[in-house]
Amino acid sequence: MRTDFIQESPEFGKAVFILLSLLALAGIGGLSALSPGLGVAGALALGAAFFIALSLSRLPRLFLQSMVVILTGYAFFGKGFAYLGVPPLYIGEAVLVVGMLALVVTASKIRLGVLHFLVFVFMGWGALCTIPYISREGLYAIRDAALWYYALFAIAISLMVKPRHFRWIVSTYRTLVPLFLCWVPIAAIAYLLYKTSIPTLPGSDVQVLWFKGGDMAVHLAGVASFLLLGLYSALPAPRMISITLLWPIWFAGIAIVSTLNRAGMLASGIAIGVVLILRPSIQWVRFLALAMLLMTILGILNPQVNIGRERQVSLGQLVSNARSIVGSDDASDGQTVHSSLEGTKGWRLKWWKKIYSYTFHGPYFWTGKGFGMNLAHADGFETIQNDPLRSPHSAHMTVLARMGVPGLVLWVALQGAFAAGLFFAFVRARQRGLVFWAQVDVWILVYWLAMMANAAFDVYLEGPQGGIWFWSIFGLGLAALRAQREESVHANTARP
């Protein structure tokens, strides 16, 4: 069956369009007779449909531009930006609809790979663990299912991003780097000290600005790898601020977020370590020299900045956080780390052990407890707070609890295949002297790794500000792998 019939028969296409328009207008008239509100909603839907129909060829470009907007908003404003929209259709879901329509428009050009197949299998299993609970849990099941259905962003991005787009992506990211680095300390001060004065979104109790240390640390790790890999100066375009001036601002930001969030500290540390191993460069001299200088100054002056919480920005707090990560709670001077650090750590471990028990050795081995159930309440780890927890502080344990052991196996296989694909693509690019692609491969891999590390100890992938970013990076990685395969095929074909 031919899929391009309407494109080759414009008269037929116009006739179909006019017929559908008349039917839609008749339907709106009927809705208006039943309820004026339904008539207005129908008219708005028809207007949106007309707009989309008249700009089908622009949908892929519109989707990519929209992704830049929402990813920037999530990075800068966090949860506050995620709540833009009308429940249950927020800005992220609206852009996802555009992405799905763009895929429909370009369906004849789609070429899927093995990793796409793994993504679909993971999503399929997630759907099986969600659909039976929708009738009972309602929107909660859909909300929790974002953990797997946000993978649609990865599919859309992987198929919409072409090889020519990567230089545009790097250039756009480079423009945002100085702005983001300057924004982090400002946002931290505004949110931590003046949170009650920050306005809320209309119809919501969520502030416009929502600063979360772990989320910010992930992006700071991405920025650090971007600078260390040389991508900031990779393209012949003017830079807003020199790298020498950016690094002190970066260290100020990472000091704040590492104080607030141990997962963020771990994520940034792992990411930077991987860059050092895979792509050592002259940038490391500047980075390490500045790091040693700042640590010396902090050790001498020992500043203590009160940020309005139990923890404060100080060298001692950073050391305490680092020790709590590796499991040691005894300081060399005989003092112990703040009890809250070990308390939250023990609370997580107890919950994770219970999840492991009722899945690997209990009745929820195959499908877990499904999506929609409040796991904190069901497992007996509910906390008293304004925004009660629904999932454990680990996306990986959430997968196990909600999708069972098969879901966890699919998750590990998918993420492992993705990481391996990017690593071997980097090795091939380096062997062939493709510096730009080698830099891009490591940058995406490091960003992904920082997200995986943060997700292991925080509620990160379950929300749009983390989940959409994660699956977007995943999709960008798939696009990079496809672009490099195509270039390799073309190069081999061109050889005599």
Side-chain angles (χ1 to χ4, degrees):
M1 180 181 296
R2 299 184 62 174
T3 60
D4 56 351
F5 179 71
I6 293 180
Q7 292 180 349
E8 294 184 359
S9 306
E11 293 79 9
F12 177 79
K14 290 179 182 179
V16 172
F17 186 77
I18 292 173
L19 177 60
L20 291 177
S21 299
L22 292 174
L23 290 174
L25 289 173
I28 290 175
L31 290 175
S32 299
L34 294 174
S35 170
L38 290 176
V40 172
L44 291 175
L46 181 61
F50 273 126
F51 173 78
I52 292 172
L54 293 174
S55 57
L56 289 178
S57 61
R58 302 177 184 176
L59 279 177
R61 182 178 181 181
L62 176 62
F63 171 66
L64 294 179
Q65 292 173 338
S66 300
M67 287 304 305
V68 172
V69 172
I70 66 169
L71 292 179
T72 301
Y74 291 144
F76 277 72
F77 296 96
K79 186 178 179 180
F81 186 85
Y83 273 75
L84 287 177
V86 179
L89 185 64
Y90 296 103
I91 188 169
E93 283 71 20
V95 173
L96 180 58
V97 171
V98 176
M100 294 300 99
L101 291 173
L103 285 181
V104 172
V105 172
T106 59
S108 61
K109 302 177 182 178
I110 288 177
R111 299 293 183 271
L112 301 177
V114 176
L115 280 172
H116 289 103
F117 173 75
L118 289 177
V119 172
F120 285 126
V121 172
F122 175 73
M123 292 180 62
W125 189 258
L128 290 175
C129 297
T130 303
I131 294 173
Y133 303 97
I134 293 178
S135 59
R136 185 183 69 192
E137 304 292 346
L139 286 177
Y140 284 114
I142 304 299
R143 172 187 171 184
D144 293 338
L147 180 66
W148 60 264
Y149 78 71
Y150 277 159
L152 289 171
F153 280 100
I155 300 297
I157 289 175
S158 68
L159 299 174
M160 294 295 108
V161 173
K162 308 302 180 184
R164 66 179 184 274
H165 290 140
F166 278 91
R167 294 186 180 276
W168 171 72
I169 292 170
V170 169
S171 178
T172 303
Y173 190 86
R174 176 175 54 187
T175 302
L176 294 172
V177 161
L179 300 175
F180 179 74
L181 290 181
C182 293
W183 171 251
V184 172
I186 296 173
I189 294 172
Y191 184 77
L192 296 174
L193 299 184
Y194 306 102
K195 181 179 179 180
T196 56
S197 301
I198 298 175
T200 59
L201 293 168
S204 172
D205 59 352
V206 178
Q207 283 89 357
V208 175
L209 170 63
W210 191 280
F211 187 93
K212 191 174 180 182
D215 296 11
M216 289 293 185
V218 166
H219 297 303
L220 286 173
V223 169
S225 63
F226 190 82
L227 299 177
L228 291 170
L229 290 166
L231 283 170
Y232 189 70
S233 55
L235 301 180
R239 290 170 290 170
M240 297 176 61
I241 304 177
S242 68
I243 296 179
T244 304
L245 295 177
L246 290 178
W247 278 122
I249 308 174
W250 183 89
F251 275 107
I254 201 65
I256 294 173
V257 300
S258 296
T259 298
L260 296 173
N261 190 282
R262 289 170 291 174
M265 172 187 280
L266 178 64
S268 59
I270 291 176
I272 292 172
V274 170
V275 176
L276 174 61
I277 295 172
L278 296 182
R279 289 288 294 178
S281 68
I282 191 63
Q283 296 294 338
W284 278 102
V285 177
R286 191 178 303 168
F287 176 83
L288 294 176
L290 184 57
M292 293 177 62
L293 176 62
L294 292 176
M295 290 297 291
T296 302
I297 294 174
L298 287 175
I300 295 174
L301 300 179
N302 191 26
Q304 299 183 2
V305 181
N306 187 354
I307 55 177
R309 293 191 176 188
E310 293 181 344
R311 307 179 194 181
Q312 58 184 4
V313 179
S314 66
L315 182 61
Q317 183 65 63
L318 292 174
V319 172
S320 296
N321 286 358
R323 282 180 174 150
S324 69
I325 291 175
V326 299
S328 174
D329 62 354
D330 294 325
S332 58
D333 59 0
Q335 296 179 347
T336 59
V337 176
H338 197 284
S339 59
S340 65
L341 294 175
E342 293 303 314
T344 56
K345 179 179 175 181
W347 171 79
R348 286 188 181 97
L349 291 176
K350 289 179 181 178
W351 193 354
W352 297 348
K353 288 179 180 178
K354 185 167 186 177
I355 292 173
Y356 177 86
S357 177
Y358 67 63
T359 51
F360 277 92
H361 304 292
Y364 298 100
F365 180 92
W366 290 107
T367 59
K369 293 188 175 181
F371 290 89
M373 178 185 296
N374 186 321
L375 290 179
H377 177 73
D379 295 348
F381 289 86
E382 200 165 23
T383 59
I384 302 175
Q385 53 184 1
N386 294 330
D387 188 17
L389 291 175
R390 296 188 54 79
S391 301
H393 277 220
S394 171
H396 316 309
M397 297 305 296
T398 299
V399 170
L400 176 61
R402 296 195 181 277
M403 300 174 68
V405 176
L408 181 64
V409 171
L410 291 172
W411 174 254
V412 172
L414 175 61
Q415 304 306 324
F418 175 78
L422 276 178
F423 174 76
F424 288 114
F426 155 72
V427 172
R428 290 191 296 269
R430 186 174 61 177
Q431 290 174 345
R432 295 168 56 193
L434 303 176
V435 177
F436 178 75
W437 280 121
Q439 292 170 324
V440 169
D441 290 334
V442 176
W443 178 48
I444 296 174
L445 179 61
V446 167
Y447 228 133
W448 169 86
L449 186 60
M451 291 177 175
M452 289 291 284
N454 185 52
F457 302 97
D458 202 357
V459 181
Y460 181 61
L461 302 186
E462 294 86 339
Q465 62 272 22
I468 293 178
W469 252 103
F470 173 80
W471 287 111
S472 297
I473 289 293
F474 195 99
L476 190 63
L478 296 184
L481 293 176
R482 189 191 72 247
Q484 291 169 82
R485 285 195 302 268
E486 291 177 357
E487 286 192 2
S488 178
V489 171
H490 292 160
N492 293 332
T493 304
R495 290 176 183 173

